[in-house]
Amino acid sequence: MAYLWLSHEKTPDTAAPKESEPKISYLFDHGVLQHASDGIGEFCALEPGFHEWSDLYDFAVEMFPQFPPEPKSGIAGSQYISSSDTTTSRQIKISWDQHLCRIVVFDPDKEDPLAETDSRTLLRCLSSGLSIPVWHTNKAGKILWSNNACHELHERVYPGQPCSAQPLFDPVRLEAAKRISVRIASTQKKEWYEITNIEIHGVLCYQAICVTDLVRAEEARRNFVQTLTKTFAHLSIGLAIFDRNNQLALFNPALVDLSSLDAEFLSSRPTLHCFFDRLRENRKMPEPKNYTDWRLAISDLISAAHDGRYEETWSIDTGQTLRVRGRPHPDGATAFLIEDISAEVSLTRSFRAELELGQSLLDTLEDAIAVFSMAGVLTFSNAAYQKLWQVDPEKAFADVTIYDAVQIWKRRCAPNFSWGEIESYVGNIEDRKHWSMPVYLSEGSQMTCNISPITAGATLIRFHMSEKLTTPAVAQDLIATP
């Protein structure tokens, strides 16, 4: 039985030749040495049938502290033990199957421990056909085996040089995946590989996956982001872009100024909630009355920004007015734009105040005044005009035109052939001179209608009350008189 196990390969009729047996090997049966190879004199010379496991243990434990004091037994298995002596690379392989236990002493620098079984031979054949470089080394970094893809890559990097003379990659063991570049000799271009390894029975198994396209894509993305950053750096509007995980991915210097947030804080990629929490702490957004409701409002804000519906104006305690807009971006990202519109709001308020002042001044005049644009639309009227003609243009559903105004004037006045001339004058952009005409109300009052051109092609029409006639009939006679 011991002879058949040592032969490795067998058929019903033939056994493997003795040359396949390792140089230094021992076979124990129930702890008694049954067979030993011819080369055991280089390690520990024992006589089969006369020595036991303890004899080999006493010799080997000094160089191999992990050598077991009792032989392994039970379900088939194997174990590799390395020497504690740094001057030698010898290793021991212990294999067992039930009560049989086999010891093989080998030097990985001179022998290939992976070529001991058919399964590993098959694995090596499969690895040789892989398109990615695969190689095995001992712990000292010496290459024990490499596949065809590894040889091809080595030839592209170091033409004409053997793998042993010039290693392709740094032999230092990698604790984690690491990207390493090599320069192709023919093109002088870099190719990037991600190197990973795993240790199997004291042998380091490496593989290199080409990630050149991935590295170039990442570089292109970084360059694009840098270009965007440089472009956004000149914007006066604060920009904050959050990725699909709601973490800050990009911001510009204007955001630092407008939000009063430290660049260090923004560089730490805070979440959206954390970003708005810090804005609230810096009093750069309206103070909420209820913090819980405010947190819910922030969630609604984020949802609205994802749909492109968020836009608000914040009036904060410092007197600033900020316009905040949320816009969706590709790949689930969200962009927030923060703009300081304090000057615009101040100008608008000042302009509105001036308009209100001008309105109040004109409302004190007794003459009825109306201003029509070049397009013939009523743009301004005072209180006297609204009282005289009993109209309120502010409540109209549509724009009041010169045609609409003339119809109102006609209904409340005696017939006058000059109303059509007023319509033509308002729409005319040439030969615009000041003129006037008399107007008589139906109840007998006499007015003077002054038509004057003003800036931007607009027309001012002023009704000045002159005197009271006795009867409407007299007014009609005066109008009819040439």
Side-chain angles (χ1 to χ4, degrees), residues 128-148:
S128 298
L130 292 177
S131 60
I132 62 173
V134 177
W135 68 99
H136 301 154
T137 71
N138 58 18
K139 292 186 177 181
K142 182 179 179 180
I143 296 178
L144 304 176
W145 173 84
S146 56
N147 68 347
N148 295 333

Side-chain angles (χ1 to χ4, degrees), residues 28 31 49 58 70 81 106 124 132 135 143-144 155 159 163 167 174 177-178 184 192 278 300 324 327 366 382-383 472:
F28 291 86
D58 294 337
E70 300 291 339
I81 300 175
F106 65 93
R124 174 173 295 175
I132 62 173
W135 68 99
I143 296 178
L144 304 176
E155 181 64 24
C163 296
L174 304 173
K178 183 178 181 181
I184 305 302
W192 288 87
R278 188 64 66 91
D300 295 339
V324 183
R327 295 291 182 267
E366 295 181 356
N382 66 349

Side-chain angles (χ1 to χ4, degrees), residues 95-352:
S95 304
W96 62 90
D97 188 0
Q98 300 304 329
H99 55 275
L100 294 175
C101 189
R102 183 188 185 202
I103 305 297
V104 176
V105 182
F106 65 93
D107 189 342
D109 290 342
K110 300 177 181 178
E111 303 173 59
D112 188 353
L114 297 181
E116 296 177 17
T117 63
D118 293 339
S119 61
R120 287 196 175 120
T121 302
L122 177 60
L123 180 61
R124 174 173 295 175
C125 293
L126 294 175
S127 300
S128 298
L130 292 177
S131 60
I132 62 173
V134 177
W135 68 99
H136 301 154
T137 71
N138 58 18
K139 292 186 177 181
K142 182 179 179 180
I143 296 178
L144 304 176
W145 173 84
S146 56
N147 68 347
N148 295 333
C150 187
H151 289 292
E152 292 174 1
L153 179 59
H154 189 278
E155 181 64 24
R156 293 171 60 202
V157 179
Y158 303 110
Q161 298 188 37
C163 296
S164 58
Q166 183 65 57
L168 186 59
F169 297 103
D170 188 351
V172 177
R173 181 183 178 186
L174 304 173
E175 297 297 335
K178 183 178 181 181
R179 288 181 182 177
I180 300 177
S181 65
V182 294
R183 191 175 298 275
I184 305 302
S186 59
T187 61
Q188 290 300 308
K189 292 184 178 180
K190 281 186 177 181
E191 287 189 2
W192 288 87
Y193 290 85
E194 187 169 285
I195 313 297
T196 57
N197 72 74
I198 185 173
E199 182 178 351
I200 302 177
H201 302 308
V203 177
L204 299 178
C205 305
Y206 289 89
Q207 66 175 0
I209 300 176
C210 184
V211 292
T212 303
D213 292 339
L214 177 61
V215 170
R216 290 174 180 170
E218 291 176 350
E219 289 179 353
R221 177 179 175 273
R222 283 195 299 269
N223 293 335
F224 179 69
V225 171
Q226 289 176 358
T227 302
L228 286 181
T229 303
K230 293 177 181 178
T231 302
F232 296 149
H234 301 287
L235 294 178
S236 60
I237 300 176
L239 175 67
I241 298 180
F242 294 83
D243 60 21
R244 64 168 64 187
N245 298 320
N246 288 334
Q247 284 188 304
L248 184 62
L250 181 66
F251 66 94
N252 65 342
L255 181 69
V256 179
D257 299 332
L258 291 174
S259 64
S260 297
L261 299 178
D262 297 333
E264 183 179 355
F265 168 75
L266 296 174
S267 300
S268 65
R269 303 189 63 197
T271 62
L272 256 173
H273 282 93
C274 185
F275 175 78
F276 282 105
D277 277 341
R278 188 64 66 91
L279 280 181
R280 174 178 170 271
E281 293 174 5
N282 287 0
R283 306 178 70 83
K284 283 298 181 179
M285 66 182 301
E287 181 65 24
K289 295 181 180 179
N290 186 296
Y291 184 75
T292 303
D293 293 342
W294 177 78
R295 294 288 290 182
L296 295 175
I298 290 297
S299 299
D300 295 339
L301 177 154
I302 296 172
S303 301
H306 285 175
D307 298 336
R309 296 180 288 105
Y310 180 75
E311 183 167 348
E312 281 190 1
T313 300
W314 292 349
S315 297
I316 54 181
D317 298 342
T318 59
Q320 281 183 300
T321 304
L322 303 177
R323 179 187 292 140
V324 183
R325 287 171 289 180
R327 295 291 182 267
H329 270 238
D331 200 24
T334 308
F336 282 91
L337 306 173
I338 302 179
E339 181 181 3
D340 188 352
I341 58 172
S342 303
E344 178 184 340
V345 170
S346 177
L347 181 62
T348 302
R349 290 173 180 172
S350 177
F351 181 67
R352 186 181 294 115

